[in-house]
Each structure stands twice: as C-alpha cells, then as structure tokens.
Amino acid sequence: MSTVLEITDLRVEYPSRDLRQGPKLAVNGLNLSVSSGEVFGFLGPNGAGKTTTMNVLLGFVNATAGSASIFGVDVRQPIARQRIGYLPELTYYYKFLNTEELLRFYARIFHIPRREREQRIGAVLKLVELEGARKRLIKTYSKGMQQRVGLAQALINNPDLLILDEPTSGLDPLGRMKVREIIQRLKEEGKTVFFASHELGEVETVCDRVAILHEGSLRIEGRVSDLLNQFHCNLEHVFLKVVGYQLKS
C-alpha cells in the first residue's frame, strides 16, 4: 500500500504567555505514517498534541521543526490539501441554509462543474442518510444530523483522505453508530480516514491502526488487534496504561 500521510520528527512550539518562561512544547519529535485505505485512530488525552498535529497537516499551523507530507507533497504547499476532506471538532454552518444549499456552496468553492456538482450532492447525501432532509433548514437538525452534514461537506470534493477531529463528539449511541457505519463505508470505497477521538470503543471497532500521544510525544503505535493481544485488555485499558493512569483493582 502506498503512503498517504507521512510525519517526520515533527516539533511544534507555541510562545508562552509568561515572558519569563520558555515556549510551550505541543508536539515533540512525532514520527508517523498512514497508508492508503487505512482507518487510523489518533488518540491521546486533552492537550496531548492531536489537534496541533492536525492543524499542521491542514496548513493552519507551521511546524517549528520536522516535516509532514500528504500524497508525497509538503503540507505547506496548498496543492497538498486538494485531495483532503476535513471535519473539525466544533462545526458551525449557515443555519439559515438547507443542506442542499450548503453543499452547493462548498462544491462551488472546489470549482466542481454544475453537472458533477449535483451528482456529488446526491451521492454524499445518500451516504450520510440525509436525502429526505435535504430541503430542511440546518437549524432544525439534531446534533447527530448536523454532524452528518459536516461529514457530507467534508466529502463533497470526493477526497482520498478524510481528517476528522472528534467526529462522534456529543452524539448519542444511535448517532455514533451512524457515523461509524459511514466510516466503514468510506473504508470499503478505498478512502483513507485519519481521525482523533475519545470514544475508544468506536475506535476499537473501526480502526486498523492507532497511535497514542501523551504530552506531545508518541507513546505507542500499532494495529489494534496487536495492541489488544499485547496488553490482554480492551483499547480503553490499553490507553489508560500507556498514558500512565493506574487502574484500581
């Protein structure tokens, strides 16, 4: 399988608000690669460096040192992001629009021709199971439906790589199940999915491999099945052990 995402010796520092202190180290020497067709879970406690790393991949933040590439192109080059779909953790859409209008807006941003545009809108609405609600205003949607709208906009340009930041955050069990099913369908289509999540049960179900960060450093990486066998427990307990949390017997 070809490498879709490559991170080498990545280091990201932020200036400290206190001038008497040195810069804050958010990511420390991260090395990671993701192959085509993988569903890859990017895990860690709050403040571990997950969102910072994603922001580097998306061109929102510059690395202090090291490098990152997508499809062999340095992430600092805008062309690297043409084949990406992105769903942020906190989404805000124009709630006075309906879903069809919103997707048409994003399709125009990607310069998708009119005929193809309507085909893509129909395809992504079918995938996220919102065909029957395409004319409803987004402000009338439930949290789960709004999250699926977010997935639809991330897919409108038919990307080869999906970067998702907490795609099931705040969803009820039914909403999480629907998002999990969508990720599984994307995998079956050969898409590569790289996502951060605190829902470790979901990660264990859908991911091929995972990486666990703690305090900006990569602590462990590998296939989910291998980690479960290595630690003889579920992924939640693997996570707690790796970040140093002592389970009470």
Side-chain angles (χ1 to χ4, degrees):
M1 293 186 292
S2 60
T3 299
V4 168
L5 188 158
E6 187 83 36
I7 298 172
T8 305
D9 297 329
L10 186 69
R11 182 181 181 91
V12 182
E13 297 177 352
Y14 291 116
S16 174
R17 293 181 180 179
D18 187 342
L19 298 178
R20 295 169 297 180
Q21 297 180 355
K24 177 185 176 182
L25 183 60
V27 180
N28 184 19
L30 177 62
N31 289 280
L32 207 61
S33 66
V34 178
S35 298
S36 174
E38 279 194 304
V39 178
F40 194 97
F42 197 46
L43 314 179
N46 290 333
K50 304 185 302 298
T51 298
T52 296
T53 301
M54 287 184 165
N55 284 340
V56 170
L57 296 174
L58 294 161
F60 300 154
V61 170
N62 290 323
T64 305
S67 63
S69 63
I70 295 174
F71 301 108
V73 180
D74 192 299
V75 294
R76 293 173 294 182
Q77 303 295 322
I79 193 174
R81 295 184 288 281
Q82 290 184 347
R83 296 166 65 186
I84 294 177
Y86 171 55
L87 175 66
E89 179 180 4
L90 300 176
T91 59
Y92 178 82
Y93 301 114
Y94 301 107
K95 295 185 179 181
F96 56 85
L97 298 177
N98 62 41
T99 298
E100 190 176 78
E101 292 168 333
L102 181 80
L103 294 179
R104 197 169 287 127
F105 169 74
Y106 279 101
R108 287 199 296 266
I109 290 176
F110 283 103
H111 304 293
I112 299 173
R114 179 184 293 272
R115 181 176 298 179
E116 183 183 349
R117 185 189 309 162
E118 299 307 312
Q119 292 174 345
R120 286 297 306 158
I121 289 172
V124 296
L125 286 175
K126 182 178 181 179
L127 178 65
V128 302
E129 300 180 7
L130 287 175
E131 291 174 290
R134 63 192 296 162
K135 299 291 187 181
R136 279 177 54 186
L137 295 180
I138 295 172
K139 68 181 181 180
T140 69
Y141 280 13
S142 67
K143 167 68 174 174
M145 293 174 73
Q146 290 188 24
Q147 198 74 343
R148 282 184 279 151
V149 170
L151 280 169
Q153 69 80 22
L155 291 165
I156 195 65
N157 61 322
N158 195 23
D160 295 306
L161 170 64
L162 271 294
I163 297 179
L164 313 176
D165 196 354
E166 300 289 348
T168 60
S169 175
L171 299 186
D172 62 18
L174 179 60
R176 292 200 303 271
M177 181 190 71
K178 287 185 176 293
V179 171
R180 185 172 69 237
E181 289 174 349
I182 292 167
I183 292 174
Q184 185 60 42
R185 288 187 212 132
L186 293 171
K187 176 179 171 61
E188 291 168 0
E189 292 180 8
K191 306 291 188 185
T192 305
V193 182
F194 181 84
F195 76 100
S197 178
H198 289 124
E199 302 289 346
L200 298 183
E202 306 293 325
V203 172
E204 185 173 334
T205 301
V206 303
C207 286
D208 300 302
R209 290 193 300 136
V210 298
I212 300 177
L213 270 67
H214 186 46
E215 297 178 343
S217 298
L218 178 64
R219 296 303 171 92
I220 198 167
E221 178 271 324
R223 296 191 63 82
V224 173
S225 56
D226 292 341
L227 295 178
L228 301 186
N229 290 331
Q230 177 184 342
F231 287 87
H232 305 290
C233 58
N234 62 26
L235 188 60
E236 181 177 354
H237 285 182
V238 172
F239 177 90
L240 294 174
K241 289 180 179 180
V242 168
V243 302
Y245 183 83
Q246 298 296 321
L247 291 170
K248 297 179 180 179
S249 58

